[in-house]
Amino acid sequence: MGDQMLLEVVLEGQWEALFPLTCSTPYQACHITMDTTEYKTCLTVFTLFGVLSICWCAPQRFCEPGGDNSGRCNNGPDEEKPAVCSEINLGYCNDLDYSRTIFPNILGQQSRHEVESGPEYLLLSVIHGLLNGECSPDIRLLGCSVLAPRCQELPSPAPVKSCRSACEAVRKGCGHAFEGIDMAWPYFLDCDRFFAGEQEGCHDPLAPLRARQEVVFSNLSPDEPSTIIQFTYHSNAQMYSVLKRTAAKCSHISRTYSIGRSTEGKDLLAIEFTDNPGGHELLEPEIKLVGNMHGNEVLGRQLLLYLAQYLCSVSPWQPAYQTLVNTTRIHILASMNPDGYELAAAEVEDSNDPEQQPHHNQEGHELNGWTVGRTNAQNLDLNRNFPDLTSILYRNRRIKRFRTDHIPIPDSYWFGKIASETYAVMKWIRSVPFVQSASLHGGELVISYPFDFSRHLHEERMFSPTPDEQAFKQLARTYADSHASMADNNTERCGASFIRSGGIINGALWYSFPGGMSDFNYLHTNCLEITVELGCDKFPSEEELYPEWLRNKEALLSFMESVHRGIKGVVKDEEGYGIKGASVSVRGIRKDVTTAEEGDYWRLMNSGTHIITASAKGYSKVSKRIYLPAHMEKAGRVNFVLKKVPVQPVGPDYHLFLRSSLDTYDRFDPYNHFQSYGRSEPGEPREPREPREPGMGGEPGMGGEWQEKEKPWWWNYFTQAGVSAPTWLLRN
């Protein structure tokens, strides 16, 4: 490190900050570990030393006339020193493609010590960690070219500014990374103020770096994208950062939005991918992937974070995946239970602590008995907390006119204990016309599909198919067959026997439970959802994350592509307007789908000959016979035009069974149990924030006044270093 001493401080067992400190004579880099009291004493000493060094070493300032009476400055002409070129002795800037710089630099800093004592240099020293390696070393080299500019010797020593084009390229490529951690673009990287154009004789500090990168990229296969994915676990804050940075990086095909909050106030942050993010497009199917419903089943959460980054980077390279993004609206909710995840992660951390091991559950996280963090903060199992519509179906299935689709939520449900997370997801799936879905779990290696609740009350394991049994089996087969080992009957399982099942099973035949999310999706909306059990280990080691990604990547992509099968179309009236809420039925399948806002619909179905009927209240029915080949690359197009007809009177049985279903479907939370969540509709972006402590203020009307916005998590890097507070890094 030359003449720079590196002090690494440990506070209460956690790395808090890196402090570059300048010594008057060369020292070797050293690591100093101390307790809190020693740290404060040492920091005071070094701060005092830094102040004295500035007083001793900085050039004396010139005063206005009459200002020299204080004795603090001198206007004598002998104090003026000509600027000269000197060696770069800045540890984080020693790899620039030049070796000599000049002071004062472009920012007006008078000496190397003033540079090292400033927040600009501190930012460059920690930027790699703050951005998780993204845009490194581009940002650091660009910043160093401002703090230690190249020195031009002739005709007289002078700084050479870096090229404005290099700055603009870095800002365009890396601006999203700063947005992802809620940090403003650094003022000293203002491309207009501190950089110059080519005609002014500028210097490109990144030219050697780009030359090296071109050599590396030339050795890559053209079919492989350059993807930077860190296969490590992510805390909730890191998860939010990854999602927001990914959306900012690929803002042309992606955005993040909040569907609600957890019990402890954490954002349920989703990310979407499509060619026109932010709204539904006619005839474009919508699909969702949900992870971490059980907080201790974490592999799905990580896989979905990797998938989001992969989709962002891969689409320009591979036409098939670019087509997938352009023709599909993909929604990813990496964590449905962030509160439970924090408990589970803390338990694993304690299990690795030698001091905690005597008190730790020795079963470990590879066994299903390990359940810390499974439930939410209210101790509710989210996959048992949805309305039990399956029981309603079983009670009324023999009634001729009873609808087996879009069953309304019974009013009695709202008098029970409902999780905040459940409420948010229900609003989400009611507001978006999802076609298919997958919920990622852990504890076994199998795909299960509805119904999850047995059709016989006293049978724990009983085959209980839906009317769409064949479509569900095809969905499950798509994932299992594309997985590296799930469909192999010789694969070692986790206790349950799936011999001859090929890695898929009807949920109730495996084990029965009411109030599941998959059953609710099917009976309340058009969406077909499967449950993906990813493996025996609910919280695998980090070494297993990359192999698991390889096992599941193709399965996830194939599952998303499978939404483009069956049929799709638009139901219109004679004037060409789409009919919202029209029913599209398939003869032999007692489950209808309904049209979206503009009259478009999607119907997942297998190959063969089918009779499709479209109907709507006040319109005539229209039926069509269609044939679906066995191997279709995209959904067949079947449109309908309905004629208006007088509404016919109906019998009392219709009002008894059908009206109760149709007219009460829109009754959601009729008693306003979750009125506070109604402030922000699903799909509207909200920034993640941690919950406030009682009495700390918040939103007006919620028990406090507006408070100053909380400082971002990285603010401590600068305040604890004793440098001047870099308020220029705060957004807004």
Side-chain angles (χ1 to χ4, degrees), residues 375-664:
T375 58
N376 76 338
Q378 297 168 280
N379 200 29
L380 294 174
D381 187 327
L382 300 182
N383 208 27
R384 309 292 188 274
N385 194 236
F386 284 82
D388 178 15
L389 305 184
T390 322
S391 294
I392 297 175
L393 169 68
Y394 290 155
R395 287 197 302 268
N396 297 282
R397 62 187 174 194
R398 301 188 188 283
I399 300 174
K400 183 178 179 180
R401 291 186 179 272
F402 181 76
R403 293 174 64 99
T404 59
D405 57 89
H406 295 81
I407 298 177
I409 300 172
D411 286 357
S412 58
Y413 170 77
W414 301 105
F415 291 97
K417 197 171 185 180
I418 304 168
S420 304
E421 299 84 353
T422 308
Y423 182 89
V425 169
M426 285 194 297
K427 290 198 71 173
W428 186 36
I429 67 176
R430 282 170 57 95
S431 64
V432 180
F434 291 117
V435 179
Q436 72 183 47
S437 171
S439 177
L440 277 55
H441 290 251
E444 252 300 347
L445 187 63
V446 71
I447 306 291
S448 69
Y449 58 89
F451 287 122
D452 285 324
F453 190 38
S454 173
R455 57 182 175 175
H456 195 290
L457 183 62
H458 301 293
E459 290 289 343
E460 287 294 320
R461 292 178 174 83
M462 184 178 188
F463 178 59
S464 305
T466 67
D468 279 293
E469 167 71 10
Q470 296 306 315
F472 269 120
K473 287 182 69 174
Q474 183 61 37
L475 272 182
R477 284 256 65 87
T478 298
Y479 196 103
D481 291 346
S482 301
H483 187 275
S485 59
M486 188 177 291
D488 187 352
N489 288 329
N490 296 320
T491 299
E492 183 179 350
R493 307 288 171 169
C494 319
S497 176
F498 302 109
I499 301 299
R500 293 185 299 276
S501 72
I504 70 171
I505 192 171
N506 172 259
L509 183 59
W510 182 16
Y511 66 94
S512 173
F513 64 90
M517 184 167 67
S518 294
D519 284 10
F520 176 79
N521 270 273
Y522 182 72
L523 293 174
H524 192 65
T525 71
N526 295 334
C527 186
L528 274 62
E529 180 176 275
I530 62 172
T531 300
V532 180
E533 299 283 347
L534 293 166
C536 309
D537 197 343
K538 296 182 177 182
F539 208 130
S541 63
E542 283 194 339
E543 290 76 11
E544 284 297 311
L545 294 179
Y546 179 61
E548 286 293 349
W549 165 246
L550 295 181
R551 294 184 191 107
N552 287 276
K553 181 180 73 172
E554 290 303 323
L556 288 165
L557 295 171
S558 297
F559 178 78
M560 291 189 293
E561 290 173 331
S562 69
V563 74
H564 295 281
R565 62 185 179 86
I567 61 173
K568 64 180 180 180
V570 182
V571 180
K572 299 180 179 180
D573 60 20
E574 292 178 288
E575 297 178 355
Y577 295 104
I579 303 174
K580 177 186 176 181
S583 294
V584 178
S585 61
V586 182
R587 182 176 295 181
I589 300 179
R590 198 177 176 186
K591 156 76 175 180
D592 297 351
V593 298
T594 56
T595 55
E597 196 75 29
E598 298 179 69
D600 47 343
Y601 74 93
W602 306 262
R603 187 63 167 91
L604 298 179
M605 48 199 303
N606 294 346
S607 60
T609 301
H610 304 276
I611 296 177
I612 314 297
T613 301
S615 61
K617 186 177 181 180
Y619 293 88
S620 61
K621 288 185 179 181
V622 175
S623 297
K624 294 185 178 182
R625 180 189 295 271
I626 66 166
Y627 172 73
L628 292 179
H631 301 286
M632 291 184 64
E633 295 184 357
K634 60 181 181 180
R637 183 76 175 267
V638 183
N639 295 329
F640 294 91
V641 176
L642 306 185
K643 297 180 179 180
K644 287 188 177 182
V645 297
V647 178
Q648 299 293 326
V650 293
D653 58 338
Y654 178 91
H655 290 282
L656 180 62
F657 302 115
L658 198 57
R659 186 182 63 182
S660 61
S661 174
L662 291 175
D663 295 350
T664 61

Side-chain angles (χ1 to χ4, degrees), residues 142 162-171 191 195-198 202-204 206 210:
L142 192 69
S162 293
C163 295
R164 185 175 295 116
S165 59
C167 175
E168 291 171 345
V170 171
R171 180 160 190 175
C191 302
F195 295 81
E198 281 77 1
C202 64
H203 169 71
D204 186 353
L206 303 180
R210 285 199 298 269

